[in-house]
Amino acid sequence: MIFKVYYQQSITEVPVRENTKSLFVEGESVRDVRTKIADRGYNVEFVQEVTGAFLEYERQNEDFKVLEIG
């Protein structure tokens, strides 16, 4: 499954909507995705599964890349 992760660049930053970034990660569950990116030091705000029409919409973006973290 593919998940969209909304995060702040640094775990010490206070979440500010204008500074929120996102990335796509392949994983089995929300917990699995959070475990995979835990070592990156991100302040994760939200992890959302992306499926169906939402996934197709996101794939149309030229910056769409899915991280496959082992």
Side-chain angles (χ1 to χ4, degrees):
M1 293 184 280
I2 296 176
F3 293 85
K4 187 171 186 177
V5 179
Y6 298 91
Y7 68 97
Q8 301 293 313
Q9 193 68 37
S10 172
I11 199 157
T12 59
E13 285 184 35
V14 175
V16 177
R17 182 178 303 263
E18 292 79 17
N19 296 337
T20 298
K21 301 181 190 290
S22 63
L23 59 90
F24 295 90
V25 179
E26 189 170 327
E28 297 295 319
S29 66
V30 172
R31 175 178 272 176
D32 182 41
V33 170
R34 286 183 176 269
T35 302
K36 287 180 176 182
I37 62 173
D39 63 338
R40 295 178 180 235
Y42 295 153
N43 184 1
V44 177
E45 295 179 32
F46 187 65
V47 179
Q48 177 181 19
E49 184 179 354
V50 182
T51 60
F54 185 37
L55 178 59
E56 292 307 315
Y57 173 79
E58 292 290 354
R59 282 188 174 152
Q60 292 174 7
N61 186 344
E62 63 187 39
D63 296 329
F64 179 80
K65 295 177 188 157
V66 178
L67 297 178
E68 295 181 23
I69 304 169

